Amino acid sequence: MLKLPALLGLVAVLLGHSAPVWIQRSNYVMGTELTFAVGAADRGTGLLATEAGLQVVHRLERVLSDWDPESELSRLNQSDPKAGSVMSGELTSLLGLVLEWTRKTRGAFDPGLGSLEDAWDVRGSGRVPSRGNLDSALAISGLLRFEIDTIARRFTRPDTGSWIDAGGFGKGAALNEAVRALQANGAEAGILNFGGQIAVFGDTTVVVDVARPDARLSSALSVHIHNLSVSTSSQSERFIEVDGVRYGHILDPRTGSPVLPWGSVTVVHPDPTIADILSTALFVMGPADGMEWLQGQGIAALFQVRSGDHFQNIYTREFSHLLDHPPIISGE
Ligand code: AMP
Ligand code: MG
């Protein structure tokens, strides 16, 4: 059993490792830390693969970044609602996927919520909007109001105040691209950590500690991860504070208001983009509606729900199969 250098304290132990050489690399990209641990036949191949992996993430940043006014998404977000714009093939397929999951989650996940973020000033010092302002923001919010034509690649926003925020799926999409680039460039196995979202590929099993919602460095439980991605959403790390009240960064697009900080959701899925989308969606749904929505979907998900001064773990059968120790209770 080989212990890997700490990857943000989340990845604990590498169980199986066929690759002869492992190299690790960290970079700051998309506003957060991206760490690769890559197994390859030799050091040169491993280094080339990490370089290719990093490049695709930088490329995706130029497509999705909402901090960069020149990114493709930023330009679409500023486009004339009367004229519309043409999207690249890459952004078209990503927004097509995101639109599909907005429908499937019945709007719990909805990146077309920029006007709501403006109403709450979540990117600034924060404010509680008046009822009238919130209603106006809701009236121009929601991906279904945008024209996203995946055949003609046309994009039109409904209003000058409407925009798309990639914060709920961008990291997952980047991990997806990175894993593909690493594999295409000779990596045999890899463990990626992008701001806390993990992706593991190849002939490698990793024990990942899932943090408690209120204490990032203490482990609630551990899961065995093999060719899977682990994404967690909570309100504990990013928030605004208005008149002494904290409001988290995850909004319920259906009501327009921040979701109360009830705990956290962890989703384990083979596709990192879907893991990222679903952890945000299930956080909005909450444990009761979330468990109901998950019925029969075959998805591994864990809800850590605050109950007094501790947390109750509720999880699907698929999640229990990943646990380090046999489950005593199951949420299903
Ligand atoms: P995550 O940390 O993956 O759960 O994503 C949270 C981020 O997604 C927030 O910081 C916002 O940028 C964005 N976001 C907030 N609420 C939603 C939502 N309901 N659907 C999609 N994206 C959201
Ligand atoms: Mg997410």
Side-chain angles (χ1 to χ4, degrees), residues 108-111 113 117 123 165 167-168 233 238 249-251 253 276 279-280 284:
F109 173 81
D110 188 341
L113 82 182
E117 296 189 5
R123 302 282 175 99
D165 172 14
S233 290
R238 290 172 55 201
H249 64 127
I250 300 178
L251 305 181
D276 193 3
S279 65
T280 310
V284 174

Side-chain angles (χ1 to χ4, degrees), residues 84-102:
S85 318
V86 176
M87 298 178 277
S88 67
E90 184 170 27
L91 192 55
T92 304
S93 50
L94 197 49
L95 290 185
L97 178 79
V98 158
L99 183 61
E100 189 187 319
W101 284 97
T102 296

Side-chain angles (χ1 to χ4, degrees), residues 280-298:
T280 310
L282 290 167
F283 189 81
V284 174
M285 291 184 208
D289 288 357
M291 283 302 280
E292 201 181 315
W293 184 88
L294 283 160
Q295 289 263 331
Q297 302 248 30

